[in-house]
Amino acid sequence: MNNLNIDQQNLDAILAEVKKQGIDYLNHIHERSTASSGEVQIIGDLNEQGTGAIEALKQFNQRFEPIMVASSGPRYWGFVTGGTTPAAIAGDWLATIYDQNTQSAKGGGDISATIELETIQLLLSLFNLPKDFFGGFVTGATLSNFTCLAVGRQWIGKQLGKDFAREGVSGNVKVLSATPHSSAIKSLSMLGLGSGNFIQVNVMQGNREALDVADLELKIKALNGEPFILISSAGTVNTVDFDDFEAINALKEKYNFWWHIDAAFGGFAACSPKYDHLVKGWGNADSITVDCHKWLNVPYESAVFFVKEKHQLLQVETFQNSNAAYLGNPMDNFSYLNFLPENSRRLRALPAWFTLTSYGKQGYQEIVERNVDMALQFAGFISENPNFELLAPVRLNTVCFSLTDESLVPSFLTKLNATGKVFMTPTFYNGKKGIRAAFVNWRTKNEDIELATVAMKEILTEL
Ligand SMILES: *Cc1c(COP(=O)(O)O)cnc(C)c1O
C-alpha cells in the first residue's frame, strides 16, 4: 500500500494530531517568541516513497515549527499584522476541506460564490456603506488596489473614447495622490500606468499626511478637464491619517475623476461611533480597498474590493476571461472570474463569513475600540518617558515614535525585537528615523502593553 492510501485510512489520526497541535499553539501563543532565532537548511531532493502525513508532521515539527514566530499573537505590532479569531480559523479549515473553486453563483453546480456575495453584503453592513457596491475577495490590499485601479483605468479610457482593456493603454493617464501606499504605486506599474507618472498632491500643514484639498483643486484645474484617478487614503501607514472625504465629495460634484480610497485597515474606523467620523462621506467613492487579514482578523490571504455597481460593465471589460465582447447584463451568468484577476480561487470568503456571523457588529466595535485604547495607552507611555518622543499624534490604532536621541533608533529596535517579547518595525517619518507599533490584533490587552514597556525600559539601560 502506498502512503497516500495509508493516509486515506488514517485521516482521523492525522487531523486529530493537527487539531491537538493547533490548540496547543493557539493557547500558548502569548508565550511564544515574536522573533525567529534559528535557521533552516533547505533540502533539495524529494524522497522516492514519501513519508506519509504523520512523518511529514514530525519533520515539520523538528525543522520549522520551533522557528515559527507568534506573528498572530498579541505583541506582534510590526507592519499592520492581524491575528485570527476562533471562528475565522474554523471557516478557514472548512474552506480547505470543502475546497470549492469559487467562481459562479448560479449554474455549474457551485454555489460557493453565493457565500462570497453574501459576505460582501455583511461587510458593507459592518462598515455602514451603501449597498450599491459590488465586491469580491482577493489575496490582499495590494491586489485589491490593483483591481480597483484597473477598473479606474478602463473608466479613464472610456472618457477618452478608448477601450484600454482591448487596445492597450495609450496616452499619459493622470493619477493624483498625497500619501499613497507603496502597493498602490506598485499597482500603477503593474497596470502600465507608470509608477513615476503620478502627480504629488501636497499634504496639509501641521504634521499631517492627509491631502491638502486646496492644492488638490489647483492640480485638478491644471489638468484642464482631463479625466484622472484620485487615490485617497483612509489610514496612512505611518500616522493613520485620513483624507477629507466630504471635501472630496464636493470636488466630485465639480470635476470628472475616478475616486479610489485605500482603506486597507483605516476603514474599520467605521465600526465604532467614536471613530466613524474619520470615514464620513466615503460611501460615494468609485472604489474602496479593505484588507481582511489585518483588522478583520482572518488568516492570510484575504482582502476585498468594493466597486460601484454602475461601473460593473467597465469591470467586466477589464477582467473578462474570454475575448468575446461581453453581451448583456454581466450579472446574468455571473462568474467572479470575469470581475477580478484570478480564475481559479479558493472559498476565501468563508473565514470572513464565519467571523462576521460569529461576532457581529458589536464584536468588531469592541475589537476596534480596544485596539485604539491600547494604542493610546502605549502612546501615553511614550510621551511620559523622556527617552522617547511621539512623531505624530495617535489618530487611531498606530503609534509612530522615535528616541529623543534619534541615532539610537536602529540599535534600540534591534535589541528590542531580539527579546522576542514584542515586535515593531522601523520607519522614516518627517525626516526622522522612527518606530511603528500597530494594534490590530483582537488578543492584545493591557498586560501586553505592560510587558512590552517593561522590556523597552530594560533596553534603554543597555544602550
Ligand atoms: C497593508 C496595506 C496595503 C497592502 O496590503 P497587503 O494586504 O499587504 O497586500 C495597502 N494599503 C494600505 C493602507 C495598507 O495598510
Side-chain angles (χ1 to χ4, degrees), residues 140-142 145 181 183 235 237 262 264-265 291 293-294:
T142 302
N145 277 330
H181 187 264
S183 68
V237 283
D262 183 347
F265 65 96
D291 238 331
H293 54 219
K294 287 175 181 163

Side-chain angles (χ1 to χ4, degrees), residues 138 142-152 305 315 319 339-341:
V138 288
T142 302
L143 253 283
S144 172
N145 277 330
F146 174 87
T147 304
C148 293
L149 294 172
V151 188
F305 61 81
Q315 188 159 2
F319 290 109
F339 284 88
L340 40 71

Side-chain angles (χ1 to χ4, degrees), residues 154-231:
Q154 187 68 1
W155 177 87
I156 295 271
K158 272 289 139 70
Q159 307 308 299
L160 307 171
K162 293 173 182 170
D163 181 347
F164 283 166
R166 289 179 75 80
E167 299 156 13
V169 183
S170 54
N172 194 344
V173 173
K174 302 294 192 309
V175 180
L176 275 60
S177 190
T179 314
H181 187 264
S182 54
S183 68
I185 300 301
K186 174 174 168 174
S187 297
L188 295 182
S189 26
M190 293 196 287
L191 288 163
L193 300 180
S195 59
N197 270 339
F198 99 90
I199 299 170
Q200 178 72 55
V201 178
N202 292 345
V203 293
M204 289 167 74
Q205 298 279 311
N207 201 2
R208 298 289 306 269
E209 290 187 297
L211 62 76
D212 176 337
V213 178
D215 186 60
L216 173 62
E217 186 155 18
L218 279 180
K219 280 170 180 149
I220 295 175
K221 282 186 175 147
L223 293 178
N224 283 321
E226 205 183 321
F228 66 95
I229 295 173
L230 174 68
I231 302 176

Side-chain angles (χ1 to χ4, degrees), residues 154 163 165-166 312-327 335-341 343:
Q154 187 68 1
D163 181 347
R166 289 179 75 80
Q312 238 158 19
L313 203 56
L314 296 171
Q315 188 159 2
V316 172
E317 283 170 3
T318 309
F319 290 109
Q320 63 185 316
N321 190 48
S322 73
N323 287 322
Y326 204 96
L327 298 173
S335 174
Y336 265 113
L337 66 75
N338 293 315
F339 284 88
L340 40 71
N343 279 9

Side-chain angles (χ1 to χ4, degrees), residues 19 31 66 77 94 103-104 122 140 187 190 206 219 257 264 348 446 457:
K19 176 183 156 195
E31 294 156 25
W77 304 341
L94 291 176
Q103 295 176 358
S104 49
L122 301 181
S187 297
M190 293 196 287
K219 280 170 180 149
F257 61 96
R348 197 167 276 129
N446 294 344
K457 284 188 261 185

Side-chain angles (χ1 to χ4, degrees), residues 90-100 346-351:
D92 201 64
W93 280 13
L94 291 176
T96 296
I97 287 163
Y98 285 86
D99 195 24
Q100 306 289 292
R346 75 190 254 104
L347 180 42
R348 197 167 276 129
L350 200 56

